[in-house]
Amino acid sequence: MEKLTKCNKCQLNEICDCKHYSLAFFKILQKVQARVLTSSPTSINTEIELIRAGVDKVNGKFNQHPLVAAVCTNAGFLGATFKQVQLKDRKPYLEINFNSSKIHLRLDYTKSFVTSLVSNPNHFISWSKYINILEQLIPADALNTFEITRLDLNLDYNCTFEKLIESINVKNKRDMISFNDESGIRTGMNIGKGQSCLVIYDKSTKASLTYNSSRIELRLSGKMLPTKILKQLPFCLSEKNYFTQIEANHLELQTVALLDDQKTRLDEFILLARREGFYSARKKFNQNKNFDRDFKGLIKLTKWSTQPTKAFRDYILKSMSIEQALKTVH
């Protein structure tokens, strides 16, 4: 703004129109400039890169229990190592190790029979490789009686936990939301409960990774399982949509003039979105049903070109070789 100067009469403190109007207008402009701030065009985030999707956990029980001795013999033929271990539940398991890809088999109290399976198909080269190993490891008569009891599906993104949750909006407003904290730092967000629960967490911290990775994980059990038959799983995953509870948005701050109270409110919203996610932040700032009014023109939401639902479906269709899997079913 060009500096305004006084005329000769103003400098002599004499009354003149210049002093009365021009300087008064100048002071008004100074006050307005102090109150009005301009935000630079920026974004809280850009669309995040998908690292991988898959089946992170398949747990189940054998209705006909295979002999531990038979399983150990088969593991030896496969070139795998095995040993007895205890997991978090403090129960005895037989750990079968295939070049760092592990399968855990729960043992009965006599440690003579296998009762259940804990496994992570993602740790194997492919789904077909995972199935092939199970078929060679577990006798056919027992494997045919296997029933899935828990299924975890995952989407891993190349970003921090804060970056991911500030993009996520929860579609069902009745879903219960809770958070996990470690030493005052937010590390997880839970959506829903019971037999269908969506968990978003910082995978870099949990798995001690050297790069940014955050996971959206869908945990299914009971009536929410797509199937209890292992060989039918690829087909069932390709036939139904998952991760439908959420949608992901690109959040952009608009180039507009902001008053002090508007900027403060927007800053509070951004900080909360980074800590508790977009859904929770919007819910807090919409208690009087005026979120759209207050933030209209300040932020712009654009849906990700590939939503989590489609990303999982596309990845699964490709990685699990559905056509090949269907041949094994029939």
Side-chain angles (χ1 to χ4, degrees):
M1 181 181 295
E2 185 178 352
K3 185 177 180 181
L4 298 179
T5 57
K6 301 178 182 179
C7 68
N8 292 334
K9 287 186 178 182
C10 289
Q11 292 174 355
L12 295 174
N13 292 325
E14 296 179 7
I15 297 175
C16 91
D17 291 340
C18 170
K19 178 180 179 181
H20 188 68
Y21 294 108
S22 299
L23 288 182
F25 180 68
F26 175 66
K27 290 180 179 181
I28 292 173
L29 291 180
Q30 283 183 315
K31 291 181 180 180
V32 171
Q33 187 180 33
R35 282 190 56 80
V36 178
L37 304 171
T38 302
S39 65
S40 302
T42 185
S43 299
I44 292 181
N45 60 50
T46 56
E47 191 159 332
I48 299 167
E49 179 186 359
L50 177 68
I51 300 175
R52 68 171 298 170
V55 180
D56 184 61
K57 180 174 288 186
V58 171
N59 292 358
K61 62 180 182 179
F62 296 97
N63 291 316
Q64 180 175 323
H65 300 165
L67 286 168
V68 171
V71 172
C72 290
T73 299
N74 292 340
F77 288 147
L78 291 171
T81 60
F82 50 89
K83 62 181 178 178
Q84 185 177 314
V85 298
Q86 284 188 345
L87 300 186
K88 291 181 180 179
D89 60 4
R90 310 302 297 172
K91 303 297 183 181
Y93 286 84
L94 183 66
E95 181 181 276
I96 315 292
N97 194 321
F98 302 89
N99 297 322
S100 76
S101 299
K102 300 176 182 179
I103 287 176
H104 290 93
L105 300 170
R106 169 80 179 274
L107 306 180
D108 72 337
Y109 72 96
T110 68
K111 300 180 182 178
S112 300
F113 296 93
V114 172
T115 61
S116 59
L117 166 75
V118 175
S119 63
N120 186 333
N122 278 340
H123 287 173
F124 292 84
I125 297 174
S126 64
W127 174 261
S128 59
K129 180 67 173 179
Y130 166 74
I131 292 295
N132 182 257
I133 283 179
L134 285 182
E135 290 175 338
Q136 295 183 69
L137 183 67
I138 308 297
D141 55 347
L143 186 59
N144 290 335
T145 70
F146 179 77
E147 290 185 10
I148 299 173
T149 57
R150 175 170 165 177
L151 179 67
D152 290 1
L153 311 177
N154 71 285
L155 288 164
D156 293 348
Y157 288 94
N158 183 19
C159 66
T160 62
F161 171 71
E162 292 81 5
K163 275 286 185 184
L164 184 56
I165 65 170
E166 70 191 12
S167 305
I168 299 300
N169 187 29
V170 182
K171 296 167 70 173
N172 187 352
K173 309 309 177 186
R174 295 182 179 180
D175 280 341
M176 186 179 72
I177 309 295
S178 61
F179 297 93
N180 300 322
D181 294 326
E182 294 183 13
S183 302
I185 300 175
R186 190 134 291 173
T187 58
M189 176 180 181
N190 308 310
I191 304 170
K193 60 179 181 177
Q195 297 178 353
S196 178
C197 180
L198 203 64
V199 181
I200 304 175
Y201 63 89
D202 184 347
K203 191 171 186 293
S204 297
T205 300
K206 186 174 182 178
S208 300
L209 303 177
T210 57
Y211 57 90
N212 288 328
S213 179
S214 294
R215 170 169 288 186
I216 304 176
E217 186 172 280
L218 179 60
R219 299 174 180 176
L220 303 171
S221 61
K223 295 181 179 180
M224 300 307 296
L225 289 168
T227 181
K228 292 185 178 182
I229 301 175
L230 191 61
K231 289 187 177 181
Q232 288 183 353
L233 189 57
F235 175 74
C236 293
L237 292 181
S238 69
E239 284 292 296
K240 184 180 177 181
N241 290 324
Y242 298 87
F243 299 92
T244 56
Q245 305 98 312
I246 57 174
E247 63 180 9
N249 298 292
H250 172 57
L251 187 57
E252 184 179 359
L253 306 183
Q254 299 296 289
T255 305
V256 293
L258 301 177
L259 297 178
D260 284 345
D261 58 343
Q262 288 178 313
K263 185 176 187 302
T264 299
R265 191 171 176 83
L266 184 59
D267 287 343
E268 290 175 352
F269 173 78
I270 293 171
L271 288 173
L272 189 61
R274 286 173 176 165
R275 176 171 170 76
E276 299 187 359
F278 174 82
Y279 172 78
S280 295
R282 177 168 183 158
K283 185 176 181 180
K284 179 178 180 180
F285 281 84
N286 197 36
Q287 292 180 356
N288 297 320
K289 309 299 181 182
N290 55 14
F291 179 86
D292 292 335
R293 182 199 69 190
D294 292 347
F295 288 89
K296 184 178 181 180
L298 303 183
I299 61 175
K300 179 182 178 182
L301 293 177
T302 306
K303 290 184 178 181
W304 284 8
S305 58
T306 304
Q307 290 293 312
T309 297
K310 187 176 187 302
F312 179 79
R313 184 182 177 86
D314 290 349
Y315 203 100
I316 286 298
L317 286 171
K318 180 180 179 180
S319 65
M320 295 186 76
S321 302
I322 299 302
E323 291 184 4
Q324 182 64 31
L326 286 176
K327 292 179 181 178
T328 65
V329 174
H330 300 294

